[in-house]
Amino acid sequence: MRFKLKGLTVAALALTLGLSAAGCGDSDSGGGDDKEITIGMVSGWAEGEAATALWKRLLTDKGYKVDVKTLDTGPLYAGMSKGDVDLFLDSWLPGTHEDYWKQYGDKLEKVGAWYDAAPLTIAVPDYSPLQSLEDLKGKGKTYDGKIVGIEKSSGLYRVSQEKMLPAYGLQDEYKVTTSSTAAMLTELKKAIDAKQDIVVTLWRPHWAYAKYPIRDLKDPKGAMGKPDTIYTVAREGFGKDQPDVAGWLKKFKMDDKQLGTLEDLMENEFKGNPDAAVDKWLKTNQSYATSLTS
């Protein structure tokens, strides 16, 4: 048994060395022949899901084999730093993903910024009496002492729990709950349908603002931070290995209408079928899409 394992190890090592040698050849020629790209994505982050689905289509049409890996934020950044993930289209900087960038940024590269002024928000239904985060003081029992949050690994949770609550003296009255983005949206819809009080963590851009009668609470102390920019980031060396793709992504920009219509198709009309959503979206945005990879 030991001999067989050793034989397998040698064979595997030979295969690995062969692949490594082939990989080195690609790298020396600029990586132009490498048509496999892995994109990381966080489930439930609508803008990232939309951008990922769009670029999967654009790159596939250009002959690339695209693998989308769904991961939590921390493992995604870690995977990029190790080279296991090539791209992430939903990096919020400099604020929301600050911790991850401090930890892994020296092994990553910014490819381009595609959406400006993306704020973190605390939102309520339009019928809520609350107007400002200051209005939450003394009303903890009305909201069961909770602000409905998303994934604990998200920067939105960190900012809401660790910065916003203390800034407004709410840390003894409220807790930002954690589950998933999908679960938060389900609670939001359920509360709105029943005309019940609810407070949720949210962000812009997000299709929920068009779908539901909601608004942001004012943040006079700026505790939620300044609006971020959404970047495409990549593993170290991606630009050198994939100059064409990096060049296309540098040109990538989306405005509210382009992003909002694609998000709406993905999250509502074609939920669970992103390819169909992109198909329909491209019928009215084909010239824009073509311009990105030309």
Side-chain angles (χ1 to χ4, degrees):
M1 178 64 72
R2 185 175 299 174
F3 176 78
K4 289 181 179 179
L5 282 173
K6 185 177 179 182
L8 285 171
T9 302
V10 171
L13 179 59
L15 177 60
T16 300
L17 289 172
L19 290 173
S20 297
C24 289
D26 286 344
S27 180
D28 291 343
S29 62
D33 296 331
D34 183 3
K35 289 281 191 175
E36 295 188 6
I37 292 177
T38 299
I39 303 178
M41 183 181 75
V42 179
S43 178
W45 293 10
E47 73 289 340
E49 291 179 335
T52 299
L54 174 60
W55 277 99
K56 180 182 179 183
R57 168 60 59 81
L58 296 179
L59 292 174
T60 299
D61 288 348
K62 284 287 185 178
Y64 290 82
K65 180 181 178 182
V66 180
D67 179 27
V68 176
K69 286 186 177 180
T70 302
L71 300 162
D72 282 342
T73 321
L76 200 163
Y77 273 96
M80 271 195 300
S81 74
K82 296 174 184 176
D84 296 332
V85 175
D86 292 310
L87 289 172
F88 179 39
L89 287 146
D90 203 11
S91 181
W92 286 51
L93 297 168
T96 308
H97 293 169
E98 175 185 13
D99 289 352
Y100 296 117
W101 197 258
K102 284 181 179 178
Q103 186 173 359
Y104 302 112
D106 61 342
K107 296 183 178 65
L108 307 175
E109 56 187 54
K110 290 180 182 177
V111 179
W114 64 269
Y115 189 92
D116 297 325
L120 301 180
T121 63
I122 303 295
V124 295
D126 282 345
Y127 55 78
S128 172
L130 302 174
Q131 298 297 324
S132 165
L133 289 169
E134 293 177 318
D135 297 336
L136 285 166
K137 188 76 171 176
K139 300 184 179 70
K141 290 183 179 180
T142 302
Y143 299 93
D144 294 326
K146 70 177 184 178
I147 295 169
V148 183
I150 58 171
E151 294 81 2
K152 190 170 185 178
S153 63
S154 68
L156 177 54
Y157 168 77
R158 175 180 58 81
V159 171
S160 303
Q161 177 70 31
E162 298 178 9
K163 295 187 177 181
M164 185 275 290
L165 291 185
Y168 289 95
L170 303 172
Q171 66 270 35
D172 295 330
E173 234 184 309
Y174 294 88
K175 178 183 178 182
V176 178
T177 63
T178 59
S179 55
S180 68
T181 300
M184 178 274 290
L185 291 167
T186 297
E187 283 199 51
L188 177 63
K189 181 182 185 303
K190 183 179 178 181
I192 289 173
D193 289 345
K195 286 289 192 294
Q196 294 175 338
D197 292 314
I198 190 170
V199 183
V200 302
T201 64
L202 204 52
W203 64 92
R204 292 177 183 269
H206 199 288
W207 59 267
Y209 286 99
K211 180 76 171 177
Y212 304 122
I214 57 176
R215 55 182 168 79
D216 299 333
L217 292 180
K218 294 175 183 176
D219 180 14
K221 296 185 177 182
M224 296 299 291
K226 294 180 180 179
D228 274 326
T229 297
I230 304 179
Y231 287 86
T232 299
V233 299
R235 60 169 173 80
E236 190 175 24
F238 180 82
K240 180 181 178 182
D241 295 342
Q242 298 285 359
D244 290 341
V245 177
W248 298 334
L249 286 165
K250 286 181 190 297
K251 297 191 292 181
F252 177 44
K253 302 277 185 182
M254 290 191 95
D255 60 30
D256 285 334
K257 183 178 180 182
Q258 291 166 331
L259 182 56
T261 52
L262 180 53
E263 282 187 1
D264 184 51
L265 288 169
M266 288 187 59
E267 299 296 329
N268 299 303
E269 188 172 344
F270 296 101
K271 190 168 183 63
N273 190 353
D275 291 338
V278 172
D279 280 341
K280 184 167 183 178
W281 188 84
L282 285 174
K283 289 179 181 178
T284 53
N285 293 275
Q286 187 59 61
S287 61
Y288 159 78
T290 300
S291 71
L292 293 174
T293 57
S294 60

